[in-house]
Amino acid sequence: RLKRFASGLVVDHHRGVGRLFERLRALGHERIGFFTWRYPVEATWSLRRFGAYVEQITEAGLPLRETDIINAGPRQALSIEASYERVLAQTREGVTAWICAADHQAYDLIKWLEARGLKVPEDVSIASFDGLARPAGGPLLSTVQIPFHQIGVTGGRRLVDLVHKRFDAPQHILLDCSLREGATLGPRPA
């Protein structure tokens, strides 16, 4: 029962990435890359966000360029440093915005790019997913805010319902998330 409970409460990754994509497109971005890290364990949340990215690119009629997708494919396993170098190379080749699978990845990427002379968002826009607090000295990230409080409240209610056997069949509860505007998105560079 608890396994069914835990797996039935999820954030709407597709809607969240869709909001990031819509915002970037409204700013004129047409070549938007996807960036994530390779983890020693399976990061299904990263795959869900990548799937949403592919859906958005396809729906917009934009080309899906494998070179603009970093660490999301099964054949790709770049180190962090090699991943950053690839982002830099693809940015120089025309990627004007990156969607990162998680905020911690985005903050580290911004720091790395800025140490190499690129300005965010003047030279490249960075968007992400999670809504975590910014690190000291970091910019306020434009990100999808996961409703952590709502997850806790909904999960608690669901657990009480299971204890009282109010629901026998598993439920799939999809929680919405919102876009938190920050200082890391700007118009497409000329």
Side-chain angles (χ1 to χ4, degrees), residues 88-111:
L88 182 60
Q90 291 312 112
T91 300
R92 289 180 174 151
E93 290 294 318
V95 173
T96 60
W98 291 93
I99 293 178
C100 297
D103 287 355
H104 63 278
Q105 298 168 0
Y107 282 120
D108 286 354
L109 179 61
I110 291 167
K111 186 176 177 182

Side-chain angles (χ1 to χ4, degrees), residues 53-116:
Y53 163 83
V54 171
E55 183 178 304
Q56 292 297 319
I57 289 282
T58 303
E59 188 175 298
L62 298 174
L64 182 62
R65 295 180 173 98
E66 190 174 334
T67 56
D68 298 347
I69 300 166
I70 300 176
N71 284 334
R75 296 178 306 274
Q76 206 178 62
L78 300 174
S79 68
I80 298 292
E81 190 66 26
S83 298
Y84 293 157
E85 292 290 345
R86 177 95 169 268
V87 166
L88 182 60
Q90 291 312 112
T91 300
R92 289 180 174 151
E93 290 294 318
V95 173
T96 60
W98 291 93
I99 293 178
C100 297
D103 287 355
H104 63 278
Q105 298 168 0
Y107 282 120
D108 286 354
L109 179 61
I110 291 167
K111 186 176 177 182
W112 190 92
L113 288 171
E114 289 184 340
R116 276 134 191 95

Side-chain angles (χ1 to χ4, degrees), residues 10-168:
V10 295
V11 173
D12 191 343
H13 300 281
H14 281 80
R15 186 174 291 167
V17 171
R19 288 192 171 120
L20 292 175
F21 203 86
E22 288 170 10
R23 183 70 180 112
L24 289 167
R25 294 282 287 156
L27 291 167
H29 297 277
E30 293 183 7
R31 189 156 170 203
I32 302 167
F34 184 85
F35 175 82
T36 190
W37 292 345
R38 293 299 283 203
Y39 292 93
V41 296
E42 186 177 7
T44 58
W45 51 268
S46 180
L47 292 174
R48 286 187 193 110
R49 294 168 191 176
F50 172 64
Y53 163 83
V54 171
E55 183 178 304
Q56 292 297 319
I57 289 282
T58 303
E59 188 175 298
L62 298 174
L64 182 62
R65 295 180 173 98
E66 190 174 334
T67 56
D68 298 347
I69 300 166
I70 300 176
N71 284 334
R75 296 178 306 274
Q76 206 178 62
L78 300 174
S79 68
I80 298 292
E81 190 66 26
S83 298
Y84 293 157
E85 292 290 345
R86 177 95 169 268
V87 166
L88 182 60
Q90 291 312 112
T91 300
R92 289 180 174 151
E93 290 294 318
V95 173
T96 60
W98 291 93
I99 293 178
C100 297
D103 287 355
H104 63 278
Q105 298 168 0
Y107 282 120
D108 286 354
L109 179 61
I110 291 167
K111 186 176 177 182
W112 190 92
L113 288 171
E114 289 184 340
R116 276 134 191 95
L118 267 73
K119 295 178 185 170
V120 175
E122 293 85 355
D123 298 323
V124 64
S125 290
I126 306 287
S128 188
F129 205 108
D130 284 334
L132 301 179
R134 67 177 160 184
L140 181 60
L141 186 62
S142 296
T143 184
V144 171
Q145 179 72 48
I146 291 179
F148 294 110
H149 179 76
Q150 185 182 4
I151 289 171
V153 170
T154 304
R157 286 183 186 146
R158 178 73 178 123
L159 187 57
V160 169
D161 288 343
L162 283 172
V163 168
H164 290 83
K165 299 181 183 184
R166 290 180 59 194
F167 303 104
D168 192 32

